[in-house]
Amino acid sequence: MRNTLAAFALLASPAMAQDIPKFVAETVTAGIEHAFKGEWEYMVGGGAAIFDCNADSLPDVYIAGGQDRAALYVNASQNGGTLAFTKTASTADLPSVSGAYPINIDGDSIPDLVILRVGENVVMRGLPNCQFERANELWGFDGGNAWSTAFAATWEGGNTLPTLAIGNYIDRAQEAFPWGNCTDNWLHRPIGGTYAKPLPLTPSFCALSMLFTDWNRSGQPSLRVSNDREYYKGGQEQLWHFEGPDVAPRLFTADEGFPRLRIWGMGIASADITGDGLPDYYLTSMADQKFQTLADPAADPLKPKYSDVAWPLGITAHRPHTGGDLRPSTGWHAQFSDVNNDGLADLFVAKGNVWEMPDFAQKDPNNLFLQTSEGKFIEAGETSGALSMNAARGGGLADFNGDGWQDLLVVNRNGPTEIWRNTGTGTAGNFVNIALAQPAPNTDAIGAFIEFKRGDKVETREVTIGGGHVSGVIGPQHFGLGGADTGEVRVIWPDGAVGDWQAVSAGQTISLQR
């Protein structure tokens, strides 16, 4: 009982004990005027791709539009100044877009886009100056005709193209009775320079998030899939073995240590919060969110047996933290990032009722959890100024004006996309950005692990494409330093090669070349 009371006291403690970043709403002045709209086929989705499409070191944004067209906003912010974006016409401005992920598919210097749609999915090859060309035919990519709501990517073996996993939702023909009618997910594996016919990942259970992740540092990523139990029958959360580019994936079973878990799975975020060098996983859901850590990695590193520690860490986020609505919350996109630059990863969770569901909160503000030095979290969504009662879906944290502080963009369903500028904490908040580069095909070193040392503490970061809710960020990895002026970094590259420790100085972006 004493431990329970202590944990409850921590949850109730004011966020003023931390360095609170100050977020300033700049949606109107930034020039972003966009909404994700739609009813039945757009109750899920509503994502954004955040990436630098013109090589000016400022992240640009591609935002899903649902029944309206998606839109590309090119970043025109001044370094350290207010946020500014210019809406730019693009061939990627498609209708029926649920979300998008940036990825460098062809191994050149320009990011490409995988666009998820209600209908045919489209891969767009990036061209100079934020232009794109359709590449489905060029790369032999079959976009299908489903309701796509999840994505992840990895490079297998010596393939020149990445393996793409796409998660699909309800069979659209079953609107009158959708329960149990989940469309198969697809695995797009390359053969030479083009993609083979999609391989169904069955069983499939209405996926809303996917992530390729090397959960036990074996050198072989597995595929996590988070599924919406509202619509499946007999399903659960999934983890797939990937044992080589020529081997069919297979599910981890309960006998292999992956227990049955059934949630309204909507988003996945990963970070090494426990400090053991292994990724931990935050799973968004309805009513409460899960935070999974390996139960006993030393005893059996081959068994993905996880413990849920969201409650003692204070991040169940099971009901609104303000606004007076005491009904259960609905979580969507989640992302870890150090928003106050104190050297500890914080957590953003997008919230919003699905579609006037009466048993769940209508006023459901997003969460901004700040990590404490004890490894627990406290709520700062309201005190930081990043409060919103709109029905959020996707988005992302990124430094949009190059001042070293992580800003916030949120895509809302049937409401305006919002953006906040992080003006800092008023105290020391140094940072370092680490950009990885290696020869083609996997130029961004997806699957690498970055180890960042501050004093005697080492933070481990896996470089991934996927997770979240139909939203992806690609670019330099952000590390807060607090009051320190230097840190140390080394890279374990995707093939397992271990780089040397290097000293890095605060206030800059360091490019580590393979």
Side-chain angles (χ1 to χ4, degrees), residues 303-361:
K303 287 193 173 183
K305 185 177 180 180
Y306 284 88
S307 299
D308 179 15
V309 296
W311 169 251
L313 268 59
I315 47 177
T316 55
H318 55 284
R319 62 176 54 177
H321 59 86
T322 190
D325 195 331
L326 299 181
R327 289 172 291 181
S329 279
T330 304
W332 296 91
H333 182 76
Q335 183 179 341
F336 286 98
S337 191
D338 187 355
V339 298
N340 57 1
N341 283 350
D342 64 354
L344 301 170
D346 308 305
L347 174 63
F348 170 75
V349 184
K351 295 281 196 67
N353 194 288
V354 176
W355 192 358
E356 298 182 358
M357 297 183 73
D359 294 334
F360 292 85

Side-chain angles (χ1 to χ4, degrees), residues 132-444:
F132 298 89
E133 66 179 8
R134 177 184 165 97
N136 285 33
E137 292 73 26
L138 174 66
W139 292 328
F141 177 83
D142 181 355
N145 185 27
W147 179 354
S148 296
T149 47
F151 176 75
T154 189
W155 269 259
E156 293 188 276
N159 288 339
T160 57
L161 294 176
T163 294
L164 311 177
I166 291 181
N168 296 314
Y169 203 50
I170 301 165
D171 181 351
R172 290 180 289 153
Q174 304 295 329
E175 181 175 355
F177 193 82
W179 291 273
N181 292 298
C182 296
T183 309
D184 284 343
N185 302 326
W186 301 322
L187 188 69
H188 298 263
R189 273 178 161 163
I191 297 180
T194 61
Y195 282 99
K197 181 180 179 180
L199 172 69
L201 280 174
T202 55
S204 297
F205 302 119
C206 291
L208 288 176
S209 189
M210 291 176 152
L211 183 67
F212 279 108
T213 175
D214 189 357
W215 58 272
N216 63 351
R217 303 291 298 273
S218 67
Q220 182 63 60
S222 303
L223 179 65
R224 285 199 71 127
V225 184
S226 202
N227 300 304
D228 183 3
R229 69 176 295 176
E230 180 74 12
Y231 292 102
Y232 64 64
K233 291 182 179 179
Q236 64 178 71
E237 296 294 283
Q238 294 172 304
L239 185 68
W240 291 85
H241 287 276
F242 274 71
E243 298 167 320
D246 300 320
V247 180
R250 62 181 180 89
L251 281 170
F252 278 88
T253 65
D255 290 340
E256 292 177 291
F258 193 71
R260 187 184 192 203
L261 175 63
R262 306 184 75 192
I263 60 174
W264 291 272
M266 296 177 177
I268 305 171
S270 66
D272 175 22
I273 299 300
T274 59
D276 62 0
L278 299 170
D280 308 308
Y281 303 98
Y282 192 77
L283 310 177
T284 60
S285 179
M286 300 170 73
D288 67 341
Q289 330 302 312
K290 309 295 184 183
F291 186 59
Q292 296 188 331
T293 64
L294 272 178
D296 193 355
D300 196 341
L302 299 180
K303 287 193 173 183
K305 185 177 180 180
Y306 284 88
S307 299
D308 179 15
V309 296
W311 169 251
L313 268 59
I315 47 177
T316 55
H318 55 284
R319 62 176 54 177
H321 59 86
T322 190
D325 195 331
L326 299 181
R327 289 172 291 181
S329 279
T330 304
W332 296 91
H333 182 76
Q335 183 179 341
F336 286 98
S337 191
D338 187 355
V339 298
N340 57 1
N341 283 350
D342 64 354
L344 301 170
D346 308 305
L347 174 63
F348 170 75
V349 184
K351 295 281 196 67
N353 194 288
V354 176
W355 192 358
E356 298 182 358
M357 297 183 73
D359 294 334
F360 292 85
Q362 296 292 328
K363 295 181 178 179
D364 200 2
N366 306 324
N367 295 97
L368 184 66
F369 291 109
L370 303 181
Q371 188 181 171
T372 70
S373 58
E374 294 81 17
K376 296 176 170 55
F377 291 81
I378 51 179
E379 176 62 52
E382 187 169 16
T383 54
S384 68
L387 185 68
S388 173
M389 293 293 180
N390 285 309
R393 291 297 189 265
L397 289 159
D399 182 4
F400 289 116
N401 64 350
D403 64 355
W405 298 96
Q406 295 284 281
D407 308 304
L408 174 62
L409 180 133
V410 178
V411 182
N412 298 304
R413 177 172 180 256
N414 291 330
T417 296
E418 297 174 287
I419 191 166
W420 290 265
R421 176 168 60 97
N422 185 349
T423 63
T425 63
T427 59
N430 290 334
F431 74 96
V432 173
N433 293 326
I434 304 296
L436 302 186
Q438 65 175 12
N442 181 10
T443 55
D444 294 311

